[in-house]
Amino acid sequence: MVLVCFVIFVSERDPLLVYGINPVAEALRAGRVRRLRISARSDRRIDEVIALAAKQGIAVERAEAQALDRAARGGVHQGVVAEIEDTRDYSVAELVEVAGTPGASHPPLIIVLDGIEDPHNVGAILRTCDAAGATGVIRQTRHSAALDGVVGKASAGALAHARIATVVNIARAIEELKDANVWTIGLAGDAADAYTDVDWTLPSAIVLGAEGAGLRRLVRDRCDRLVGIPMLGQVESLNVSVAAGVVLYEAVRQRIRPSSVKG
């Protein structure tokens, strides 16, 4: 009898890093920094990061610029790199429940990302979600930008505060939102209705597709409604992060002034 022995090596995942003064400062404010490395340079903004770290009880490690360059993989780190705790992964149900907790001022307003892989777009969307007070973001495990330092930098630190649900199947997540009485509104260039025709004071989810490809067919079919943004010039569409901002702030406008909603 021949015995075959298999040896399995399990390697730890690389730590989650964010870099740049604003992303690291926001991660500190959110209490998520585990390790902080700063270059030898000193100025007012660096001193502010050091002061935030002191309040959190985080020791500052001085590092050579070359070491920070390697850690940030060439990203613009401004002399600051932090290792942070993994982003908490919410479920779709938990995102909906957040808006129903005491103190929540509005019904759910959720962004669903269908195949958006550009980290700069994802970061910009997270930044706008934070500014607009959105409940959270739903993304897919595959065909999605990694939640890394590039996204953190593009989000100006909003990644540290974002509520994010990562799901296997976006179409199924949309069904789950509908079962929770959240209206799912997909953004599509060929839609007959405009985004301003929607009553955004209701529990809502804005479904965004990748630039060029748009919403995938099954995702598009599962949405309760499709709307578009009027394009009056020569180009056919907006950058997806810009489109997200346009629609989010229409929702904000309606929720701040409900009487302005079209009847």
Side-chain angles (χ1 to χ4, degrees), residues 44-98:
R44 180 182 57 81
R45 299 183 71 199
I46 291 283
D47 291 343
E48 289 173 357
V49 170
I50 293 172
L52 279 172
K55 287 181 181 178
Q56 297 286 338
I58 304 296
V60 173
E61 301 175 28
R62 291 292 182 178
E64 296 293 330
Q66 294 87 344
L68 298 181
D69 290 341
R70 287 193 298 272
R73 298 180 181 179
V76 181
H77 54 71
Q78 299 173 292
V80 185
V81 175
E83 180 181 321
I84 67 172
E85 296 174 355
D86 286 343
T87 303
R88 177 190 164 183
D89 198 11
Y90 287 76
S91 67
V92 173
E94 285 173 331
L95 285 186
V96 176
E97 288 167 6
V98 163

Side-chain angles (χ1 to χ4, degrees), residues 79-244:
V80 185
V81 175
E83 180 181 321
I84 67 172
E85 296 174 355
D86 286 343
T87 303
R88 177 190 164 183
D89 198 11
Y90 287 76
S91 67
V92 173
E94 285 173 331
L95 285 186
V96 176
E97 288 167 6
V98 163
T101 56
S105 56
H106 295 291
L109 179 60
I110 295 168
I111 292 288
V112 181
L113 306 181
D114 179 33
I116 299 178
E117 300 184 55
D118 184 287
H120 297 93
N121 279 333
V122 172
I125 290 169
L126 291 178
R127 182 176 186 175
T128 305
C129 285
D130 182 78
T135 310
V137 173
I138 297 173
R139 63 189 283 274
Q140 197 167 356
T141 49
R142 298 176 60 201
H143 307 298
S144 294
L147 300 177
D148 58 10
V150 180
V151 169
K153 180 75 171 173
S155 74
L159 174 61
H161 304 286
R163 302 183 191 96
I164 300 173
T166 301
V167 301
V168 174
N169 188 297
I170 290 293
R172 262 191 237 124
I174 289 174
E175 288 298 329
E176 191 173 346
L177 287 169
K178 292 163 73 171
D179 289 343
N181 297 315
V182 176
W183 287 97
T184 56
I185 297 116
L187 216 56
D190 59 349
D193 296 334
Y195 73 102
T196 50
D197 295 333
V198 175
D199 182 354
W200 295 105
T201 64
L202 299 172
S204 307
I206 304 166
V207 188
L208 302 168
E211 288 187 48
L215 297 173
R216 290 175 294 171
R217 184 189 60 79
L218 188 57
V219 171
R220 180 185 172 109
D221 291 346
R222 294 288 174 88
C223 291
D224 289 309
R225 185 175 184 180
L226 297 175
V227 298
I229 298 173
M231 300 298 297
L232 307 180
Q234 301 304 311
V235 297
E236 295 181 355
S237 64
L238 294 173
N239 170 281
V240 66
S241 64
V242 174

Side-chain angles (χ1 to χ4, degrees), residues 6-14:
F6 293 94
V7 180
I8 300 175
F9 294 94
V10 179
S11 61
E12 292 187 358
R13 192 173 54 176
D14 289 339

